Amino acid sequence: MVFSNLIFLCLFLPANILLYYLTRNPAWRNGVLIFFSLFFYAWGEPVWVTLLIFSATIDYFHGRLCEKYTGRWQAKAALVSSLVLNLGLLGVFKYSGMAVESLNALTGLSLPVPTFSLPIGISFYTFQTISYVVDVYRGQVRAQQSYWRFFMYVSMYPQLVAGPIVRYKEVAAQIDSRHTDREDFVKGISRFCAGLGKKVLIANLAGDFASQYLDGDLSALTTAGAWFGILMFTLQIYFDFSGYSDMAIGLARLFGFHYMENFHYPYISQSVSEFWRRWHISLGSFFRDYVYIPLGGNRTHTFRNLLVVWFLTGLWHGASWNFVLWGLYFGLLIFLEKQFLQKILQRLPRVLRHLYLLFAVTISWSLFYFTDLSRLWTFLQTLFGAQGAGLWDIQLEVELLNHLFWLIAAVIGCMPILPWAKEKWKLLQKPRWAPFFENGVGMAWNLLVLFLCAAFLAGQSYNPFLYFRF
Amino acid sequence: MLSNRDDYKAEKVSKGSLPWQMALFTAILTAAGIFSLLLEKPTTSEKEQRELAKMPSLTWQSWFDGSFAKEFDAFYADTFPMRDLLVSFSSSMKESLGVRYDDVRILGSAEAPVDLPDPPSRPEPVSRPESSQSQDSSSSAVSSQSSQPEGSSSSSEPPAQEDDIGVNNSGIFIYKGMGMSLFGGNASVGRVYAENINAYHQVFGDSVRIFDMVVPTSAEFYLPEKYKKLSNSEKDAIQGIYSHLAAGVTGVDAYSAIAAHTDEYLYFNTDHHWTGRGAYYAYTAFAQAAGFQPLDIGTDYTIRKIENFLGSLYRQTQDSKMLERGDYVEYFIPAVEASASIVFKNQPYAQSPWTVWAEGVSGGNGYLVFLCGDAPMIQIDTGVHNGKSIVIVKESYGNAFAPFLIPHYEHIYVVDERHFQTSLVEFIQKNGVNDLLFLNNAFSAMTGYHANNLQKLMYQVYVPPVEEPEEESQAESSQEEEEPKWRGVRTEEDDEDEDDE
């Protein structure tokens, strides 16, 4: 199931909230969360829910073994076993097709290519359980004694299928005991509605544009059209992904969990290094803590370490070589920034630093978008006017004008203007009724967004049948 | 690990912490959920002219292969309470996202739902003219669901090939309330189309006169100058096709006849078809090619009108300017009497009485006044006892055209290239047909699906469907009533149109 869906909004979520708050019994509440999480997952993935259960179960035991045998070889064996099993599952289900295809291409063999359908969220939950076992092994957190509580941690539906990658140690206390206060409810609702709006009102429309301009015949694409298409994808992927994280954080908060931020206005960064501290923070920090630093980090073999980390980061995003290319591209830029680029950038005016980052990121999304490398090459040529159907196109002009207000809103949404305005508002001298006003406006805004999303979601199903069309 | 007692304590501290926001939020969602379950579910949508998704049955199989979840998603979204209202609201929101400079709006191909009467990939050789097959409405929701990097679902989809989609639609252009489909024709397909027509000439030689008439659509004439290049030239495309026709096949120059009268009402504003008047000028071109004198539109017909027509382009876009501009359907009844009979789908050897003019239609169904829509074959027998007969192979553009031939042929066989189920060659031989006219609009002539149909038709063998009892009964019932099933929809749609205005 996904959040941006009428069934989720009108059936699943209210049922989940009502049942959860039916009693104060923590076992009941945990049970409700587990039940709804399994249902949520099984709605789209009725078979591979078994894999989720398997993964959670083995790592529950791995964690306990690591703790029981701290400092002895058995703990290390449990750690290795966990890594082998988790990465093995990921390898089989996600990468086996790519590996065999590449092998065939390299050696000229024609081995049968396995075609597993990728179980939803496997990349996210395997990383969660890996982080748990490693942290227990390192003694950074106590192992969870209760199987069901651990299972709840792994299966929690808010972050299950698209992150953030929540570390066990961050929520360990809340798993054992949590309560939801006023602020949690109010902020949770706002956060959820904001995320839903980002996804439904911006990302989906931007996605329509991106596919309209990028999926067609590239030789008919103009340079302006190419830039517009890739900028639309730039908007889409940010609003989609960060909207999903917002919804996850908001939902979790309704049940008393506090997740770390996953996106922090990445497009306002002034360097690639900064961008990756603001973009998909839970993934970047995972690779930092579990790969980069153990390899030696900045102290030894920096280049090799960066190469490994960014190769893996790219590969994590999908089983296709273009993602590896995308990762290495970022690795290279970060390496260059560490070497000398950062120093040059510092001397440039701020606006140029922003432009540098936006340019670098937009180009990276082309690498990300085109899984077919020959299409990618054609697209890049179009982007720089080396081929294609001219520079400007009139259809784009009309579509820009037809969506002008929406575009402005989307661009503003990438910048921290709302938090800035809130800060300013806080500093103002306000009458006594201000809090009521704030609450009222906040909630009215949430409900408006919710209503708009419901209308757009219903609109998606609008599908006139033109039986006599041509 | 904390005991239950401690948890209770924690809860007590925060007792009374449920803010009104949470209560309101939950109450609204719950109420929507309860209504969505309790209210009676509609089964058809008049606005969309289709059947809505049905409640799937829950079985082990349907649960575990994921089809239950998928179909339930579609069912739930299709039958959500106040859906029509929400849909209208979202369309008007989409219209207000920017400015309408030059009074121009473009809906890109991504937003124009692609429709085919029958997907080319359908395995069965039969097609369904009247069944409103509900398309999988969940697919758009699912495919646009996420660009989460991990699955990279949306980005890794292969780009759609025009030939696979089958419709050369590069989007909808709206100018001053007139909707036009932008033409993205493909010359290689046009060649196949011409060659498939030539094949008929090879079969019949000079025993049957063969004509091909490819008709331009509104974008060719009514796009403002500044925007002309958004749509490929249909004139060039038509000339390209005609240049590939064999010596014995006559290409009919409907283009010039229509182009000479573009200040008249030749195309609808809210529909992708031509008007009866547009078809009339094509008929004059055909008369010239076939060697007879056409009737005069000013004096020789009884002209009637159906008001308040809102067609397919409006249904697709729900554009407010189009709604404002609106349409009417004019039809031209010659003095010669005529009667019609029809061959229904899956009953290729039975003919039932039919009507040339479905004068009761209204609202979104206005264009159905011509022959009452598409059917595998409609035969018109006229009061002209000249022994001449013609087969028109067409899609829906042919419906407005065919009645103009009534004063000139004793028998007119209107064959729908998408729905006809037996061998066309045999049909022509059996009926001793003199003339054979292929009539297509530029879009369909340039669409692989249609071009290939012409070849398929020649010698196809009818295979009865294995099991489709529901549709059989529908066809039978409509046969008994001698009325298409959309008749019942009419009054409600009238009401809706009034509401809209």
Side-chain angles (χ1 to χ4, degrees):
Chain A
M1 200 180 286
V2 291
F3 300 150
S4 53
N5 172 306
L6 290 169
I7 297 179
F8 177 81
L9 290 175
C10 299
L11 298 179
F12 185 97
L13 182 58
N16 185 194
I17 291 173
L18 291 175
L19 284 175
Y20 183 89
Y21 285 106
L22 198 62
T23 76
R24 288 175 181 168
N25 181 331
W28 165 266
R29 290 183 165 186
N30 292 349
V32 166
L33 281 183
I34 289 174
F35 173 79
F36 275 87
S37 295
L38 284 176
F39 185 83
F40 183 91
Y41 193 81
W43 187 254
E45 203 71 270
V47 175
W48 295 124
V49 69
T50 47
L51 207 61
L52 171 73
I53 296 169
F54 174 75
S55 191
T57 307
I58 55 165
D59 281 327
Y60 167 73
F61 289 109
H62 283 134
R64 296 204 54 180
L65 287 173
C66 281
E67 186 169 73
K68 188 172 175 194
Y69 296 106
T70 307
R72 300 204 299 212
W73 67 267
Q74 290 95 329
K76 191 165 254 174
L79 175 68
V80 170
S81 152
S82 167
L83 288 177
V84 167
L85 282 168
N86 278 306
L87 297 176
L89 282 180
L90 208 52
V92 168
F93 282 95
K94 192 168 173 181
Y95 298 108
S96 55
M98 177 194 181
V100 174
E101 266 175 20
S102 303
L103 192 70
N104 284 347
L106 275 178
T107 58
L109 292 171
S110 50
L111 301 171
V113 178
T115 51
F116 289 107
S117 65
L118 184 69
I120 299 169
I122 188 171
S123 318
F124 289 95
Y125 70 72
T126 48
F127 271 36
Q128 290 204 169
T129 57
I130 287 174
S131 79
Y132 164 74
V133 176
V134 174
D135 287 352
V136 172
Y137 175 82
R138 288 172 175 174
Q140 291 175 350
V141 70
R142 299 286 311 274
Q144 174 59 263
Q145 302 301 304
S146 152
Y147 174 73
W148 292 111
R149 289 185 182 193
F150 180 72
F151 188 74
M152 177 180 72
Y153 156 71
V154 179
S155 69
M156 270 286 283
Y157 76 84
Q159 95 283 349
L160 178 61
V161 301
I165 299 165
V166 178
R167 305 247 189 114
Y168 178 80
K169 58 185 173 191
E170 286 161 18
V171 289
Q174 294 148 25
I175 286 168
D176 289 332
S177 161
R178 61 188 175 274
H179 77 278
T180 321
D181 63 20
R182 247 191 105 77
E183 201 189 351
D184 286 332
F185 283 124
V186 175
K187 293 213 160 146
I189 292 170
S190 297
R191 197 64 189 271
F192 177 76
C193 291
L196 187 67
K198 280 163 110 173
K199 162 72 184 150
V200 176
L201 304 179
I202 300 190
N204 284 357
L205 201 52
D208 285 346
F209 276 130
S211 65
Q212 181 189 331
Y213 280 85
L214 304 181
D215 290 351
D217 175 9
L218 290 178
S219 66
L221 190 65
T222 60
T223 294
W227 278 102
F228 180 68
I230 202 65
L231 285 170
M232 284 299 109
F233 182 64
T234 305
L235 287 181
Q236 182 198 0
I237 194 162
Y238 169 64
F239 281 100
D240 194 309
F241 204 0
S242 75
Y244 202 98
S245 287
D246 287 337
M247 288 188 271
I249 291 167
L251 283 172
R253 200 149 177 192
L254 292 182
F255 302 113
F257 288 93
H258 293 246
Y259 290 172
M260 266 183 29
E261 289 301 324
N262 205 25
F263 287 84
H264 193 53
Y265 297 99
Y267 290 153
I268 63 160
S269 307
Q270 301 176 36
S271 70
V272 172
S273 316
E274 185 188 356
F275 174 79
W276 272 99
R277 290 195 297 273
R278 292 169 173 271
W279 177 276
H280 203 175
I281 299 165
S282 65
L283 181 76
S285 63
F286 181 95
F287 278 111
R288 183 193 65 213
D289 293 347
Y290 300 108
V291 181
Y292 187 67
I293 292 177
L295 281 176
N298 292 337
R299 292 187 314 256
T300 53
H301 303 104
T302 306
F303 183 74
R304 181 204 67 186
N305 301 345
L306 282 172
L307 194 74
V308 171
V309 164
W310 289 99
F311 181 91
L312 293 176
T313 304
L315 196 60
W316 181 87
H317 284 81
S320 173
W321 287 106
N322 70 300
F323 294 113
V324 174
L325 195 65
W326 174 81
L328 292 176
Y329 166 88
F330 276 124
L332 179 70
L333 282 176
I334 287 174
F335 178 74
L336 293 178
E337 281 180 5
K338 277 184 197 294
Q339 294 301 307
F340 63 90
L341 203 54
Q342 194 69 53
K343 288 185 194 110
I344 300 174
L345 286 170
Q346 288 309 328
R347 293 196 202 112
L348 294 175
R350 204 169 115 176
V351 61
L352 288 183
R353 294 201 295 270
H354 283 298
L355 283 177
Y356 152 76
L357 180 271
L358 286 176
F359 179 79
V361 168
T362 308
I363 297 299
S364 87
W365 293 134
S366 337
L367 306 181
F368 195 92
Y369 192 85
F370 292 98
T371 42
D372 177 340
L373 294 182
S374 72
R375 273 178 77 80
L376 169 65
W377 177 236
T378 316
F379 177 78
L380 289 175
Q381 284 177 296
T382 314
L383 216 45
F384 296 102
Q387 79 93 44
L391 291 179
W392 185 247
D393 81 82
I394 189 114
Q395 171 156 2
L396 174 61
E397 185 179 315
V398 175
E399 287 188 312
L400 283 174
L401 288 166
N402 284 171
H403 296 87
L404 189 64
F405 308 140
W406 173 83
L407 276 169
I408 293 171
V411 170
I412 287 178
C414 295
M415 298 187 276
I417 288 179
L418 215 59
W420 173 83
K422 275 187 188 160
E423 276 308 305
K424 291 278 170 215
W425 172 257
K426 265 188 201 161
L427 298 176
L428 289 180
Q429 279 285 340
K430 286 183 296 275
R432 255 194 309 168
W433 47 264
F436 297 101
F437 173 74
E438 285 164 14
N439 282 333
V441 168
M443 196 57 193
W445 170 255
N446 291 336
L447 293 180
L448 176 72
V449 171
L450 198 62
F451 174 75
L452 287 176
C453 290
F456 272 64
L457 288 173
Q460 277 177 9
S461 72
Y462 180 74
N463 187 10
F465 185 80
L466 313 162
Y467 51 89
F468 51 1
R469 182 167 182 85
F470 302 134
Chain B
M1 212 167 87
L2 289 164
S3 72
N4 285 359
R5 259 182 74 107
D6 292 333
D7 282 7
Y8 269 102
K9 260 187 209 160
E11 289 297 339
K12 266 183 192 155
V13 174
S14 61
K15 198 181 175 185
S17 68
L18 182 74
W20 62 269
Q21 286 98 326
M22 186 63 184
L24 185 64
F25 180 74
T26 314
I28 287 176
L29 295 184
T30 309
I34 288 174
F35 278 122
S36 75
L37 292 179
L38 293 187
L39 289 183
E40 204 188 333
K41 295 289 190 184
T43 54
T44 55
S45 158
E46 272 102 48
K47 268 195 168 159
E48 295 157 88
Q49 300 207 338
R50 69 173 171 96
E51 280 173 33
L52 298 170
K54 290 188 187 63
M55 171 77 182
S57 53
L58 181 58
T59 60
W60 285 113
Q61 157 105 32
S62 71
W63 175 259
F64 281 106
D65 66 15
S67 65
F68 178 80
K70 213 177 145 196
E71 287 167 26
F72 189 83
D73 273 343
F75 162 74
Y76 192 77
D78 262 9
T79 59
F80 196 70
M82 302 197 303
R83 172 168 173 270
D84 277 356
L85 202 73
L86 293 171
V87 167
S88 307
F89 182 76
S90 77
S91 333
S92 58
M93 278 303 297
K94 283 190 178 166
E95 227 179 302
S96 341
L97 293 177
V99 292
R100 207 161 170 142
Y101 188 71
D102 278 354
D103 209 347
V104 166
R105 183 178 179 211
I106 295 180
L107 288 107
S109 44
E111 276 177 74
V114 173
D115 166 85
L116 268 189
D118 297 288
S121 58
R122 278 168 59 90
E124 317 100 287
V126 295
S127 42
R128 332 176 175 181
E130 286 153 34
S131 77
S132 30
Q133 189 183 17
S134 101
Q135 297 182 348
D136 184 4
S137 59
S138 69
S139 65
S140 65
V142 171
S143 66
S144 64
Q145 169 240 110
S146 106
S147 63
Q148 272 103 46
E150 86 132 338
S152 67
S153 57
S154 66
S155 57
S156 61
E157 276 167 23
Q161 294 295 311
E162 290 225 307
D163 282 355
D164 294 344
I165 297 172
V167 174
N168 284 309
N169 192 338
S170 340
I172 297 174
F173 188 94
I174 304 169
Y175 176 60
K176 293 191 172 160
M178 180 181 192
M180 295 165 248
S181 301
L182 296 172
F183 179 62
N186 174 331
S188 64
V189 179
R191 183 179 185 139
V192 174
Y193 170 80
E195 281 163 359
N196 287 346
I197 289 175
N198 293 343
Y200 285 84
H201 180 61
Q202 276 174 359
V203 172
F204 294 114
D206 292 333
S207 66
V208 177
R209 292 198 297 171
I210 299 182
F211 301 89
D212 178 29
M213 181 156 82
V214 183
V215 183
T217 68
S218 55
E220 184 71 6
F221 304 114
Y222 298 100
L223 276 183
E225 201 52 45
K226 183 176 166 191
Y227 302 98
K228 276 268 186 247
K229 64 176 178 189
L230 287 182
S231 199
N232 293 351
S233 163
E234 295 182 18
K235 188 178 188 179
D236 293 351
I238 294 168
Q239 276 171 354
I241 289 173
Y242 286 180
S243 72
H244 290 115
L245 290 177
V249 180
T250 312
V252 180
D253 185 17
Y255 189 98
S256 309
I258 290 171
H261 295 273
T262 48
D263 53 337
E264 295 173 41
Y265 185 37
L266 305 184
Y267 294 93
F268 294 113
N269 301 311
T270 68
D271 194 80
H272 64 285
H273 290 109
W274 55 0
T275 63
R277 194 173 285 272
Y280 169 79
Y281 290 110
Y283 148 76
T284 61
F286 178 68
Q288 201 181 10
F292 59 78
Q293 186 64 35
L295 269 57
D296 187 312
I297 197 166
T299 56
D300 296 345
Y301 297 98
T302 309
I303 304 177
R304 294 194 191 143
K305 250 190 205 184
I306 291 167
E307 298 288 350
N308 300 325
F309 172 48
L310 282 175
S312 59
L313 294 176
Y314 174 70
R315 274 204 296 284
Q316 268 181 308
T317 60
Q318 302 206 36
D319 185 84
S320 64
K321 294 276 172 122
M322 250 195 236
L323 179 67
E324 239 170 67
R325 186 145 170 189
D327 272 313
Y328 61 88
V329 183
E330 254 182 325
Y331 53 105
F332 303 85
I333 306 177
V336 181
E337 60 186 71
S339 63
S341 57
I342 187 170
V343 168
F344 285 106
K345 183 205 159 194
N346 294 341
Q347 302 172 329
Y349 308 113
Q351 260 171 275
S352 323
W354 198 241
T355 174
V356 179
W357 311 104
E359 302 203 69
V361 298
S362 63
N365 297 322
Y367 190 76
L368 297 186
V369 70
F370 304 109
L371 303 181
C372 209
D374 297 319
M377 202 282 285
I378 293 170
Q379 176 175 347
I380 305 174
D381 299 312
T382 73
V384 197
H385 298 292
N386 63 1
K388 284 170 70 181
S389 57
I390 183 170
V391 165
I392 306 175
V393 181
K394 57 91 203 179
E395 20 69 11
S396 55
Y397 262 61
N399 301 358
F401 176 88
F404 284 111
L405 299 185
I406 287 172
H408 310 288
Y409 290 90
E410 188 168 341
H411 302 291
I412 302 161
Y413 305 98
V414 185
V415 168
D416 196 298
E417 64 191 32
R418 299 160 296 181
H419 307 314
F420 195 68
Q421 292 175 305
T422 52
S423 160
L424 183 58
V425 168
E426 273 173 35
F427 181 86
I428 289 169
Q429 284 164 342
K430 195 183 78 193
N431 290 293
V433 170
N434 312 99
D435 291 347
L436 170 59
L437 167 65
F438 294 91
L439 190 165
N440 286 104
N441 66 72
F443 279 70
S444 51
M446 295 299 222
T447 302
Y449 164 70
H450 289 275
N452 295 333
N453 268 342
L454 299 186
Q455 189 188 26
K456 194 187 82 183
L457 281 178
M458 292 185 88
Y459 296 110
Q460 69 185 347
V461 176
Y462 173 64
V463 182
V466 184
E467 42 166 6
E468 275 179 308
E470 220 180 277
E471 286 196 0
E472 283 284 80
S473 69
Q474 270 177 6
E476 269 158 30
S477 70
S478 53
Q479 183 190 359
E480 281 158 22
E481 295 161 22
E482 295 173 22
E483 262 192 1
K485 63 178 179 166
W486 49 75
R487 282 276 170 94
V489 165
R490 190 169 67 232
T491 47
E492 290 154 59
E493 194 158 299
D494 265 354
D495 297 342
E496 239 171 48
D497 289 341
E498 275 157 26
D499 288 348
D500 287 341
E501 281 154 32

